[in-house]
Amino acid sequence: MTSEAEVVIVGGGAAGIAAGRRLHDAGIDCLVVEARSRLGGRAFTLRAGPDYPIDLGCGWLHSADRNPWTTIAVAQRRTIDKTPPPWLRLSMPIGFPLAEQASFLKTLAEFRERLDSLSDSAPDVAAARFLEPGDRWNDLINAVGTYVSGAELEKVSALDYGRYEDSGVNWRVVEGYGTTIAAHAAGVPVALGVPVQRIDHGERRLRLETSDGTITTEAVVVTVPTDLLAQEGLRFTPALPDKIEAAAGLPLGLADKLFLSLSGADEFDKDARLFGRHDRSGTATYHVRPFGRPMIEGYFGGRLAAELEAGGDAAFFDFARMELVGLLGSGFARRIQPIHIHRWKADPFARGSYSYALPGKAECRAVLAAPADDRLFFAGEACSRHSYSTAHGAYLTGIAAAEQVIAAWRSRHKERAIRS
Ligand SMILES: Cc1cc2nc3c(=O)[nH]c(=O)nc-3n(C[C@H](O)[C@H](O)[C@H](O)COP(=O)(O)OP(=O)(O)OC[C@H]3O[C@@H](n4cnc5c(N)ncnc54)[C@H](O)[C@@H]3O)c2cc1C
């Protein structure tokens, strides 16, 4: 591995790849240093058998009509599937009659409207405060909250939740979102399988201690997930308490996907949905025949996902089988088999799925995103004010950090030219 570069990007996920691509294309000598043996981070497409690529992390191009990854996927000649997402349509009326669904969707929309209309000066309380006390749909709204934020609404900042912006257009990449993101790094210098342990920024040149020796550089873009910063999986010398505190205010929620094979799949409509239960918050949602494939994608969030992770991979399958049999009858157990589950909390270089802000901590995103000393720059989904928790939010923060690096680099080089 090279022992110096003008700019080092720590982490090769969506943000790090965006930053690396921008800097490399600007002619700056940069290096992406990635802990895992693959690029993409929480964007991770796995080939499940000969037929289907499956996205274990991000799968939906949210705000697809203005999402930069859509443009990149098209340029890569990927196939974009524009089927509207199951959550914007009614679910199958199995155990959940259509009239009940309409009532639930109305209550959910009203809850979101109350959060969306919060002004910046509103007190930053828990999002759960905006539920109507005693409403019959509160548990299911909370379940949906665990899919959206990875955490129950009592843990989530109302202000931050309300700041999220989305165009309502959601598409998918048939070959995989993860594949698209990783391929965007083609030609950018990358060191794989090299965790950075410490960044020493006490001297004129920055020093990165890695598992594979020391790298010296003029500037660093840090893109690692917030839980790694907060738990000091990556350390700074001198310490950066503001960054650690900001990262701790933006913990990673948990969402895990379980992929099941489904026999006799044609019985169901393509891209249909089922909630496991509608009377409790600890329930999964099941996307049946995604892309028309003979599969089910189960989505588990928050406390439920954490409890199942503690039980190992089999716990997810047992839970899904129990819920699906409850809806579709005992014979259904024979029609499903596990394909894959990725436990994101147990993954040492993720430690969770996507960030949410704790009540009172909505402003931590700006604190985390601010450069330190014009040499340490920060990017990653958690740095995004309006598109946090997404791959396109991560991309935009990576580009923003790269632009800051380029501006600082130009002014440094100008100073040197004047001095010489
Ligand atoms: C189950 C699930 C479903 C999701 N669904 C969607 C979706 O449908 N749409 C959407 O837009 N988003 C979705 N997301 C979120 C999206 O995947 C992330 O927001 C985005 O990929 C984060 O990118 P990032 O670059 O900020 O972070 P990461 O992708 O986490 O990149 C950080 C990188 O840093 C590396 N790293 C960590 N520590 C070190 C170290 N010490 N040294 C060097 N490298 C290190 C990591 O290995 C990683 O590659 C989902 C995520 C999950 C888990």
Side-chain angles (χ1 to χ4, degrees):
M1 188 186 59
T2 174
S3 60
E4 53 178 39
E6 234 168 319
V7 183
V8 173
I9 298 123
V10 182
I17 289 171
R21 171 90 275 148
R22 176 74 187 93
L23 292 168
H24 183 67
D25 291 351
I28 293 179
D29 164 35
C30 66
L31 176 69
V32 176
V33 181
E34 166 55 49
R36 294 182 172 105
S37 57
R38 62 168 181 87
L39 285 171
R42 284 172 274 164
F44 184 12
T45 307
L46 188 78
R47 261 214 106 78
D51 296 333
Y52 309 116
I54 54 175
D55 274 312
L56 305 177
C58 55
W60 289 94
L61 292 155
H62 295 310
S63 298
D65 50 343
R66 57 176 197 227
N67 182 326
W69 290 116
T70 306
T71 315
I72 292 164
V74 170
Q76 291 178 6
R77 297 176 184 279
R78 309 274 176 210
T79 321
I80 308 289
D81 184 298
K82 297 188 177 177
T83 310
W87 67 86
L88 292 182
R89 291 178 286 122
L90 290 169
S91 302
M92 282 189 262
I94 298 170
F96 199 8
L98 295 177
E100 298 279 279
Q101 292 191 39
S103 162
F104 162 65
L105 290 174
K106 181 170 173 290
T107 311
L108 177 64
E110 287 165 357
F111 166 72
R112 288 197 169 145
E113 179 52 37
R114 289 193 285 277
L115 292 171
D116 289 349
S117 58
L118 285 176
S119 77
D120 271 352
S121 56
D124 190 9
V125 297
R129 289 259 205 112
F130 293 83
L131 294 168
E132 284 292 347
D135 191 278
R136 61 189 287 229
W137 296 119
N138 284 352
D139 284 335
L140 194 54
I141 293 176
N142 219 350
V144 171
T146 68
Y147 314 141
V148 172
S149 306
E152 285 68 23
L153 294 167
E154 77 258 15
K155 295 186 192 156
V156 175
S157 149
L159 263 188
D160 192 61
Y161 194 109
R163 279 181 186 161
Y164 181 80
E165 289 176 1
D166 191 283
S167 73
V169 180
N170 300 275
W171 297 336
R172 285 167 294 174
V173 187
V174 174
E175 296 84 355
Y177 203 166
T179 303
T180 306
I181 291 173
H184 191 56
V188 176
V190 168
L192 290 178
V194 183
V196 176
Q197 288 138 356
R198 180 184 298 275
I199 299 175
D200 186 337
H201 58 109
E203 304 292 329
R204 195 185 64 78
R205 269 182 88 73
L206 301 164
R207 291 166 61 81
L208 281 79
E209 289 170 21
T210 80
S211 60
D212 202 16
T214 302
I215 310 173
T216 64
T217 185
E218 292 196 5
V220 178
V221 180
V222 178
T223 75
V224 305
T226 49
D227 279 26
L228 266 130
L229 288 176
Q231 295 158 14
E232 300 199 67
L234 169 63
R235 289 172 188 272
F236 295 90
T237 308
L240 294 174
D242 288 0
K243 297 293 180 189
I244 292 173
E245 200 185 321
L250 304 167
L252 294 186
L254 187 58
D256 289 322
K257 293 180 189 174
L258 167 71
F259 291 85
L260 303 168
S261 65
L262 171 65
S263 66
D266 290 352
E267 176 197 337
F268 299 100
D269 286 341
K270 170 179 178 295
D271 287 307
R273 176 165 83 156
L274 283 168
F275 282 110
R277 298 275 293 259
H278 53 74
D279 56 354
R280 49 183 284 179
S281 60
T283 188
T285 174
Y286 301 93
H287 182 170
V288 182
R289 293 187 65 204
F291 299 99
R293 296 168 183 164
M295 294 168 68
I296 297 179
E297 185 183 311
Y299 211 85
F300 303 77
R303 247 187 317 261
L304 171 65
E307 281 165 20
L308 295 176
E309 278 210 13
D313 290 2
F316 284 89
F317 182 61
D318 291 347
F319 187 90
R321 188 176 46 200
M322 177 196 67
E323 286 205 322
L324 290 168
V325 160
L327 291 165
L328 297 158
S330 57
F332 197 74
R334 286 193 297 279
R335 295 173 58 183
I336 50 173
Q337 289 294 329
I339 298 176
H340 200 83
I341 166 88
H342 187 79
R343 287 185 280 147
W344 284 101
K345 195 172 187 59
D347 180 330
F349 298 116
R351 303 192 186 183
S353 301
Y354 28 80
S355 68
Y356 63 97
L358 295 169
K361 302 292 179 183
E363 302 314 323
C364 286
R365 298 203 187 273
V367 176
L368 187 63
D373 197 18
D374 252 4
R375 302 189 305 163
L376 278 175
F377 301 88
F378 291 82
E381 54 85 12
C383 295
S384 171
R385 183 176 169 94
H386 298 297
S387 306
Y388 57 80
S389 81
T390 68
H392 65 281
Y395 176 95
L396 294 170
T397 63
I399 295 292
E403 296 300 344
Q404 291 165 345
V405 171
I406 290 168
W409 184 86
R410 286 203 180 117
S411 80
R412 244 191 332 261
H413 281 256
K414 213 175 193 166
E415 254 174 51
R416 275 181 210 158
I418 293 167
R419 266 185 290 174
S420 60

